[in-house]
Amino acid sequence: MEEQDKPGELVYHYTNQRGLLGILESKSIWATHLRYLNDLEEYSVGVRLVERVIEKTRSQGLIDEETERSFKGVLESLNSCDFYAASFSRANNGDALNLWRAYASSLPGYSLGFSPEQLRKVIRPRLDGTNSGMSWLSEVFYISRDEGTEHALTSSYRTVPTITSLINYLKLNSYCSAVTPGMNMEDRVTAIWKTIEAVKKIGLLLMSILPALKDAGFSDEIESRIIQTRFDGAPSNTSNPVQFHQGNWSIVPHVQIPLCFGTD
């Protein structure tokens, strides 16, 4: 679902002088590996949400063993993906004190405003393959790590399904649900393909939701982020390899996401 931006609304990327020069010279922005961002439990907070929802549906008798096994299999398959994020904020119109301190503490610092609509356009794939990874702009959804109830995830960018609705979708499209006694081979094959397509769809949706979930303790950041997913053996891994920079506590992996303004 395309975002309906408010006229003139911007998202802001906080950086220091070195970061600004790097963006201007390379015409790209760094996206840091999700597990190295300021919340040490990035991504895992989303995995725990899925696990809580599965447990709740099981306790209510709303999920069968096949659906639960398939859904957990999809979730585990995402462990082979690496997620990278470049962060932006809508907080206080680009003048949030906590973000100045976190990301632009060395003087001079900069808060760079971007149109969300233009960001979605400039992170499109390039002909030279340097941005061939899956990249998209997403709002961040803030959830409580211990809350038992799953709330709807509302976004101005897209329609976001709940985990419960994904479980129900897989259950309705599972092979066991479709097969009936006496069904001919052609219909059985159709049922198998239907299940495969459902699994693929759920995998893509989880891939777009989990990297955008964050603990509610960070909700004052009102974050949006460019997310890039890297798969083992993808062409972009060679043409645009993972790089490393010095962090506060460790060596930090990042990728460059080209910002294709104009005809570049």
Side-chain angles (χ1 to χ4, degrees):
M1 179 180 179
E2 287 294 316
E3 175 196 8
Q4 299 299 315
D5 296 318
K6 296 178 182 178
E9 186 176 41
L10 301 177
V11 293
Y12 295 86
H13 179 72
Y14 291 78
T15 189
N16 54 27
Q17 189 174 49
R18 181 179 178 183
L20 173 62
L21 290 174
I23 291 171
L24 294 176
E25 292 172 357
S26 68
K27 296 182 180 179
S28 65
I29 193 166
W30 282 8
T32 302
H33 196 289
L34 213 61
R35 299 189 188 278
Y36 291 79
L37 297 181
N38 59 350
D39 179 3
L40 297 179
E41 295 196 343
E42 289 274 4
Y43 190 76
S44 61
V45 67
V47 172
R48 286 198 299 271
L49 171 64
V50 174
E51 291 172 344
R52 291 199 304 270
V53 173
I54 290 175
E55 176 62 31
K56 183 177 180 180
T57 54
R58 185 198 303 120
S59 67
Q60 295 174 336
L62 300 177
I63 187 172
D64 55 75
E65 289 186 7
E66 184 208 0
T67 303
E68 180 177 352
R69 185 169 56 252
S70 296
F71 204 91
K72 286 182 175 179
V74 174
L75 184 63
E76 290 173 4
S77 71
L78 298 184
N79 290 332
S80 63
C81 301
D82 286 310
F83 297 100
Y84 294 82
S87 297
F88 303 80
S89 171
R90 297 177 188 265
N92 206 31
N93 293 319
D95 191 21
L97 180 59
N98 60 324
L99 296 178
W100 281 118
R101 288 172 173 169
Y103 301 107
S105 57
S106 59
L107 297 177
Y110 300 89
S111 173
L112 310 177
F114 293 85
S115 158
E117 181 181 5
Q118 289 302 314
L119 271 181
R120 289 198 308 276
K121 293 178 180 178
V122 301
I123 61 175
R124 67 187 187 274
R126 277 185 163 179
L127 293 178
D128 62 5
T130 54
N131 198 25
S132 57
M134 290 180 59
S135 302
W136 66 94
L137 180 66
S138 174
E139 289 175 323
V140 167
F141 308 105
Y142 298 96
I143 59 174
S144 170
R145 68 182 66 191
D146 300 317
E147 193 169 358
T149 303
E150 181 188 14
H151 295 288
L153 305 177
T154 57
S155 171
S156 58
Y157 295 140
R158 56 195 172 118
T159 301
V160 185
T162 63
I163 304 302
T164 302
S165 69
L166 294 182
I167 291 174
N168 290 335
Y169 176 78
L170 182 57
K171 181 178 178 180
L172 289 172
N173 290 279
S174 69
Y175 178 75
C176 288
S177 298
V179 171
T180 58
M183 179 180 284
N184 62 43
M185 182 58 65
E186 182 178 353
D187 289 339
R188 287 178 181 271
V189 171
T190 299
I192 291 172
W193 279 110
K194 187 177 180 181
T195 301
I196 292 173
E197 290 301 316
V199 168
K200 287 168 56 179
K201 181 176 181 179
I202 288 170
L204 289 171
L205 287 169
L206 284 178
M207 191 185 301
S208 72
I209 295 171
L210 295 183
L213 297 178
K214 196 168 184 176
D215 187 87
F218 295 89
S219 60
D220 60 340
E221 295 179 354
I222 317 178
E223 184 184 349
S224 295
R225 55 178 53 163
I226 297 173
I227 300 169
Q228 183 171 113
T229 304
R230 288 293 183 101
F231 304 94
D232 291 340
S236 56
N237 295 357
T238 301
S239 59
N240 184 13
V242 175
Q243 301 177 48
F244 299 89
H245 65 274
Q246 179 179 338
N248 292 329
W249 311 108
S250 65
I251 303 298
V252 179
H254 71 270
V255 296
Q256 288 187 309
I257 297 181
L259 302 177
C260 310
F261 290 104
T263 57
D264 287 346

